[in-house]
Amino acid sequence: MTEGTSMWALVLNASWIVQFVLLMLVAASIVSWVFIVQRAIVLRNARRSAVSFEDRFWSGMDLGTLYREVHGDSDPDGGMERIFMAGFREFTRLRGQGVDADAMMDGVQRSMRVAVTREQESLEAHLPFLATVGSTGPYVGLFGTVVGVMNSFRGLAHVQQTTLAAVAPGIAEALVTTAVGLVAAIPAVVAFNRFNARVEQLLTSYETFAEEFSSILHRQVHAQVKKQSPDSHGEG
């Protein structure tokens, strides 16, 4: 590759529109990789925290004791912990107000649904950006290519004899934007699909836990109501 047709020379000799397109694609690629690394760490820690908390939850520990431990030493990546805390906090508050069992469970389930929605928003942060880069990157690169090809053919109007040597630099310059667009888009698409699947798995585990926790509280409430009911005591 000669000095005039090196990659850097092609970029420097490109029109300002092509250079602007290349700058946008490079910036998008850098930001995408930052989000890819950040999301990978967040989702890995969230999964690890969920497995750890489930082990503690199903160990037979008293729910009040577990709540105090979690509240005192909260895991920043513990989405399942926050769902548990939201449900148990609402359960304790409504039980202290003497609310009937059905209204109490409705409040608990509503509180946990809100917590799951908040966790979903947190887990899906930056994924739309990756999806946007993955879907638009090739087209932005193609736009730069079209502009470069147009400029190349316009330059031929001022050349007496058209040769491959006269056309090649302009065509190569134009194709650089397509290549950079693909380099930006492919990792973003792969990461988005992978992270989206992992988010769905985490949300499924969160929703399953919320249902199981709700069932446990439901049994406790109705067992307490049955115990306090006058009909549950036999006549002397």
Side-chain angles (χ1 to χ4, degrees):
M1 180 179 293
T2 62
E3 183 179 353
T5 57
S6 66
M7 186 70 69
W8 185 243
L10 291 174
V11 173
L12 292 179
N13 295 327
S15 64
W16 70 268
I17 297 179
V18 174
Q19 290 179 344
F20 179 70
V21 170
L22 287 172
L23 181 62
M24 285 196 306
L25 290 173
V26 170
S29 180
I30 293 173
V31 175
S32 294
W33 276 107
V34 172
F35 288 160
I36 288 171
V37 173
Q38 190 257 356
R39 285 295 93 189
I41 295 173
V42 167
L43 294 176
R44 182 195 62 192
N45 291 342
R47 180 59 184 169
R48 184 179 300 170
S49 177
V51 172
S52 176
F53 178 76
E54 276 195 308
D55 291 340
R56 295 170 62 190
F57 181 82
W58 295 110
S59 65
M61 182 185 302
D62 178 72
L63 294 180
T65 303
L66 179 60
Y67 176 81
R68 287 189 293 271
E69 288 185 1
V70 172
H71 188 267
D73 186 19
S74 179
D75 185 353
D77 300 308
M80 193 172 289
E81 287 186 5
R82 286 187 285 271
I83 295 169
F84 165 77
M85 291 173 63
F88 193 80
R89 183 167 51 243
E90 186 70 6
F91 173 76
T92 304
R93 186 182 70 84
L94 294 177
R95 184 172 59 179
Q97 294 177 356
V99 178
D100 66 272
D102 292 336
M104 186 186 305
M105 293 311 305
D106 287 341
V108 169
Q109 291 171 352
R110 184 166 53 250
S111 178
M112 288 194 291
R113 282 197 298 269
V114 172
V116 170
T117 301
R118 289 175 178 169
E119 293 304 319
Q120 180 177 1
E121 294 174 352
S122 176
L123 293 174
E124 291 180 344
H126 308 313
L127 292 189
F129 179 84
L130 294 179
T132 300
V133 173
S135 60
T136 62
Y139 295 104
V140 174
L142 183 61
F143 169 75
T145 298
V146 171
V147 172
V149 171
M150 290 173 59
N151 291 335
S152 179
F153 280 107
R154 285 174 57 190
L156 293 179
H158 307 288
V159 178
Q160 297 293 332
Q161 185 177 0
T162 303
T163 63
L164 182 60
V167 180
I171 300 299
E173 161 198 315
L175 293 177
V176 168
T177 58
T178 298
V180 175
L182 293 174
V183 168
I186 292 174
V189 170
V190 173
F192 172 79
N193 291 334
R194 181 177 176 82
F195 292 159
N196 193 54
R198 292 172 66 179
V199 168
E200 290 296 329
Q201 291 175 352
L202 280 169
L203 290 178
T204 299
S205 66
Y206 288 171
E207 292 169 355
T208 302
F209 169 77
E211 290 293 331
E212 292 172 338
F213 183 40
S214 179
S215 298
I216 292 173
L217 296 179
H218 185 273
R219 288 194 297 268
Q220 288 188 359
V221 169
H222 283 80
Q224 185 178 5
V225 170
K226 184 177 181 181
K227 185 182 298 184
Q228 295 175 353
S229 175
D231 296 338
S232 62
H233 301 283
E235 296 182 359

